[in-house]
Amino acid sequence: MAFGVPHFVLGICGNRFQSPFAKPPGVGESSPVINVVWGFGNLVAGAVLLRFFWPMGWAGWLVVGAGALLLGVMMAGHFGRVRGGR
């Protein structure tokens, strides 16, 4: 779900952003419409995963939070390098 937010928000703001559908994937920028659709799809997929794999107890939520934080930091590093010159 966390990865759906930047794509969706930047798309509805009318900004281009990297996506798997750009050339080259993850480096080139996709149109705002592609990012809105991709972001919405990520949000739906995350909600479905949480529906079927709801974490039990605080330890499960801790793992979910740690995973989101780790992937977020990794993506921040990637997009920081890609978008650094802008």
Side-chain angles (χ1 to χ4, degrees):
M1 281 178 89
F3 296 122
V5 174
H7 290 284
F8 189 78
V9 170
L10 287 171
I12 62 173
C13 288
N15 296 326
R16 297 178 66 80
F17 190 65
Q18 287 80 13
S19 84
F21 307 107
K23 290 186 177 114
V27 177
E29 295 181 336
S30 294
S31 72
V33 173
I34 294 293
N35 277 295
V36 167
V37 172
W38 178 242
F40 185 76
N42 277 296
L43 292 171
V44 169
V48 168
L49 285 171
L50 278 177
R51 166 67 176 91
F52 290 105
F53 301 103
W54 193 260
M56 296 297 180
W58 65 271
W61 284 106
L62 187 64
V63 170
V64 169
L69 179 63
L70 177 65
L71 289 173
V73 168
M74 289 171 46
M75 295 308 291
H78 169 73
F79 289 124
R81 285 187 301 276
V82 171
R83 299 180 67 84
R86 297 181 189 151

